[in-house]
Amino acid sequence: MSEPRTRLALLSPHRVEAGDADALAAAITAACAAGDVAAVLLRLAPADERSLVNLVKRLAPVAQEAGAAVVVACTGFAGDLVSVSARGGADGVHLDKARDGDLRDLRERLADGRILGAGGHEQKHAAMEAGEAGVDYVMFGGLYADGIAPEAATVIERASWWTEIFETPCIAVAHTQDEVGPILETGAEFLGLESALWIGDQADVTAIQAAVGQARIAAAARDAAS
């Protein structure tokens, strides 16, 4: 049995605007230098399509040059998010609490290898529908646009359930350092980090990455002993 390789997924603050770009780009660079970052989820504030495209163009290369994929979310945007992502040079889109039909339509439009992610599905049935719609990952946890997040215990339970049964990867999101260890124990392919964990004076991606490495060693030891 191969060693699990949990990688990091960075969640930006909600409602990122053009004025946030320079500081966010610097934070992305620092986090990618400190950890094994697989993806960055840009949660943008609604604006006109041109403004959103220009903002993605400023941020996406920073992550991509470090080897991370960029997916774009924009709650409340009435336009074409797929177009924003493609024109901005991102790697795909992310939707929260999307309906099954919406995800299937997007899957058809993103059939060229671009990423489709889904979150906000803490109910098992909704998560399974997202998986059946062909998303590239499901995400459990993470602050919703209203600032509310599911209970940490719910995120851990859902991630454990999902990884036991389904092949579609999942992101399980930590809001605090204390949640990192329990989430790693679920075997989730990606450890999502809310913005407070990787942006600002209290951020410590190096310590989080060390915890990921320790969890990998522990899992390998358990496999060898079994």
Side-chain angles (χ1 to χ4, degrees), residues 66-222:
V70 175
V71 291
V72 178
C74 190
T75 301
F77 175 57
D80 187 351
L81 191 61
V82 172
S83 176
V84 169
S85 173
R87 291 173 58 202
D91 300 286
V93 301
H94 173 97
L95 269 69
D96 278 327
K97 299 184 178 180
R99 293 175 296 181
D100 176 51
D102 294 335
L103 290 172
R104 291 184 185 278
D105 289 344
L106 285 173
R107 180 72 285 167
E108 291 182 3
R109 295 187 62 199
L110 294 164
D112 58 355
R114 287 181 288 169
I115 297 168
L116 173 60
H121 295 306
E122 271 59 62
Q123 298 298 320
K124 290 184 177 181
H125 180 70
M128 288 189 291
E129 283 191 336
E132 290 168 358
V135 299
D136 294 293
Y137 67 82
V138 296
M139 187 171 81
F140 299 113
L143 289 171
Y144 302 138
D146 59 7
I148 303 298
E151 294 288 338
T154 300
V155 174
I156 292 165
E157 191 279 331
R158 292 294 185 264
S160 297
W161 160 74
W162 186 268
T163 57
E164 284 284 335
I165 300 172
F166 302 100
E167 294 185 1
T168 300
C170 82
I171 300 174
V173 181
H175 298 265
T176 68
Q177 291 275 0
D178 291 343
E179 295 170 13
V180 168
I183 286 177
L184 291 173
E185 292 178 3
T186 69
E189 290 85 355
F190 302 99
L191 168 64
L193 302 183
E194 262 298 345
S195 57
L197 289 176
W198 64 277
I199 299 175
D201 294 339
Q202 302 303 313
D204 193 347
V205 177
T206 300
I208 292 171
Q209 187 61 52
V212 172
Q214 292 168 0
R216 188 181 306 164
I217 293 170
R222 288 194 298 270

